[in-house]
Amino acid sequence: SSGINAEWPLRPGTIEQSFTMIITLSVMFLLGALTGVESDKAGLMERRFKGLKFGGTAKDYILFKPRMEPLEESYTLCAWVKKGRSDGIKYWFDYGTTSDPHAIYLSVDGYFYTLGTEVNLKSKVTDQVGTWRHVCFTWSLTTRAFSVYYDGVLLGSATTPSDRKIGLDGYMVIGQLQFSHTYGGRFEDKHSFDGELFKLNVFDKELDASAVKEMADGGLCSEVEEKYGRSRYLKWEDLLLEEKTGNVAEIDVGCTPEPKEEDKEDTEDKEDKEEASISEDCECENGTTLSRWDLLREDKFFNKTVTVELVEELKETWDILGELLIMWCLILIISLCMFILDTINLVQTYLAFL
């Protein structure tokens, strides 16, 4: 036809190759993503046992703007604090808003402040440079009381005004004290924290004295705080991911994750328990039937229902699957575009051949 001496140019395997490429890319992405998720989770588990060391100058801090709605009417802030030096008044935590520049501030020297009310424990706090101290600060709008605990012991408390809540538009600073005229900005060396922090967690409720004591008695390396699930609103492992300014470094505090209880059981006992669990569902006191999957997890259920931790894990799983689905769709769209372009090219070649 029209003198063209050429063989039929259409390659039968082109379409199959395009689909193979789509499937291959999708599988490679999913496997890579799942591997990355497991790696990230393992890295996060190890990283949450890291502490932070602050250099003690106005350039050393962590500054961010958290979502504060869950903490507006009650909270508990706890941390392990190690003082670096004894000169001056050093602040390791501060939260300020446009209307209340000092909504919360905490020092290593016994000065604690929230919502216009101060608790001065300077005479009660032993000046122990280089020693880990467990510090907790609780408050709620209902009781209007804020209390300060050292090593699980209540050292002082005060009553806040009835009309005061925690503002929502503030900056949170770790390692510094904000000033009213420099909201979210300049700091001063004389108030800069020189020391180490570990396990700074903020809970969305007022913990009682027994809960605070349990955390303190558990010691530096315990994981007691994890039992509060989603009530542990601002988590230490998340704070470690915030941008660090100046001389703020992650350090090893000598803690390692403890193996879970099921990891300590030998394989035979675990298999026996799983087999027994599969045989029947659990009929609970309130009429709720737990699935075999729930039983296989060997979780301890609060009020015979699914634990907060399980709900949180399911939510995390769905978030991961959602991200994977979006990325897979993007790969599919790109691959289909390549396939369409390849098909158009083949059709044009075919028409030219004719």
Side-chain angles (χ1 to χ4, degrees):
S1 56
S2 67
I4 299 178
N5 295 321
E7 296 182 357
W8 168 246
L10 187 63
R11 301 185 302 277
T14 301
I15 296 178
E16 288 83 351
Q17 289 173 359
S18 297
F19 277 111
T20 300
M21 179 183 65
I22 294 174
I23 295 173
T24 302
L25 287 174
S26 300
V27 171
M28 288 177 63
F29 170 76
L30 289 173
L31 289 177
L34 290 174
T35 301
V37 167
E38 290 302 317
S39 176
D40 289 345
K41 289 176 69 176
L44 186 59
M45 288 290 289
E46 181 178 351
R47 191 178 190 186
R48 65 193 173 92
F49 283 91
K50 296 291 186 180
L52 287 177
K53 182 176 178 62
F54 291 79
T57 74
K59 298 179 179 179
D60 311 325
Y61 58 88
I62 296 175
L63 172 69
F64 60 102
K65 199 167 189 177
R67 181 175 169 267
M68 293 292 288
E69 283 84 353
L71 310 178
E72 185 180 15
E73 297 187 359
S74 64
Y75 69 88
T76 296
L77 189 154
C78 294
W80 288 90
V81 185
K82 183 191 288 188
K83 190 174 182 178
R85 64 179 188 233
S86 59
D87 59 309
I89 302 174
K90 309 297 181 181
Y91 295 87
W92 55 272
F93 181 89
D94 182 273
Y95 175 75
T97 67
T98 51
S99 60
D100 191 357
H102 295 306
I104 308 170
Y105 67 66
L106 313 173
S107 82
V108 294
D109 305 287
Y111 296 100
F112 302 88
Y113 181 95
T114 190
L115 301 176
T117 309
E118 182 183 61
V119 170
N120 186 341
L121 301 175
K122 176 66 176 176
S123 61
K124 296 182 179 181
V125 175
T126 305
D127 189 12
Q128 294 177 309
V129 175
T131 301
W132 284 111
R133 305 293 301 274
H134 186 261
V135 183
C136 269
F137 182 96
T138 70
W139 172 83
S140 78
L141 180 65
T142 303
T143 63
R144 294 171 49 205
F146 83 92
S147 305
V148 181
Y149 298 81
Y150 259 73
D151 299 327
V153 179
L154 176 63
L155 289 190
S157 62
T159 302
T160 59
S162 58
D163 59 343
R164 298 289 292 273
K165 291 184 181 180
I166 299 297
L168 304 180
D169 64 336
Y171 283 96
M172 193 168 284
V173 187
I174 304 175
Q176 298 288 344
L177 174 71
Q178 299 182 85
F179 289 91
S180 57
H181 59 285
T182 56
Y183 165 70
R186 186 180 62 82
F187 311 111
E188 295 185 0
D189 286 344
K190 65 179 181 179
H191 293 312
S192 301
F193 177 57
D194 179 6
E196 300 173 13
L197 284 179
F198 184 49
K199 286 189 177 179
L200 196 169
N201 293 290
V202 184
F203 304 84
D204 63 4
K205 60 183 180 180
E206 181 185 24
L207 297 182
D208 59 25
S210 61
V212 173
K213 181 173 174 53
E214 183 183 17
M215 280 190 281
D217 290 348
L220 190 69
C221 299
S222 74
E223 300 180 59
V224 177
E225 64 276 356
E226 292 193 12
K227 79 176 189 177
Y228 294 99
R230 296 179 71 181
S231 286
R232 188 165 66 102
Y233 177 64
L234 294 179
K235 303 178 181 179
W236 176 243
E237 54 267 35
D238 294 334
L239 296 180
L240 288 175
L241 300 177
E242 296 291 341
E243 182 180 358
K244 304 171 184 65
T245 302
N247 185 14
V248 180
E250 291 189 13
I251 58 172
D252 188 354
V253 298
C255 297
T256 55
E258 294 182 4
K260 298 297 182 183
E261 203 57 42
E262 57 267 24
D263 295 333
K264 298 178 181 178
E265 300 173 351
D266 56 55
T267 306
E268 184 177 350
D269 289 341
K270 188 171 182 180
E271 289 177 351
D272 291 341
K273 289 184 179 181
E274 291 177 350
E275 184 177 352
S277 298
I278 294 175
S279 62
E280 60 179 355
D281 286 352
C282 166
E283 188 68 28
C284 303
E285 295 174 358
N286 60 4
T288 303
T289 300
L290 301 178
S291 69
R292 293 180 179 134
W293 178 67
D294 292 333
L295 290 169
L296 280 173
R297 291 174 47 81
E298 298 178 7
D299 277 331
K300 297 179 181 178
F301 295 89
F302 297 140
N303 299 322
K304 305 295 185 180
T305 57
V306 181
T307 62
V308 171
E309 287 80 3
L310 176 56
V311 173
E312 189 173 38
E313 184 172 327
L314 289 173
K315 181 178 180 298
E316 179 184 355
T317 301
W318 280 112
D319 290 342
I320 293 173
L321 290 176
E323 293 175 0
L324 292 177
L325 180 61
I326 292 174
M327 294 304 297
W328 186 85
C329 289
L330 290 175
I331 290 177
L332 182 62
I333 292 172
I334 293 172
S335 301
L336 286 175
C337 289
M338 294 174 64
F339 168 72
I340 293 172
L341 290 174
D342 195 17
T343 302
I344 293 174
N345 181 56
L346 290 175
V347 171
Q348 290 176 340
T349 304
Y350 172 71
L351 293 177
F353 180 81
L354 294 178

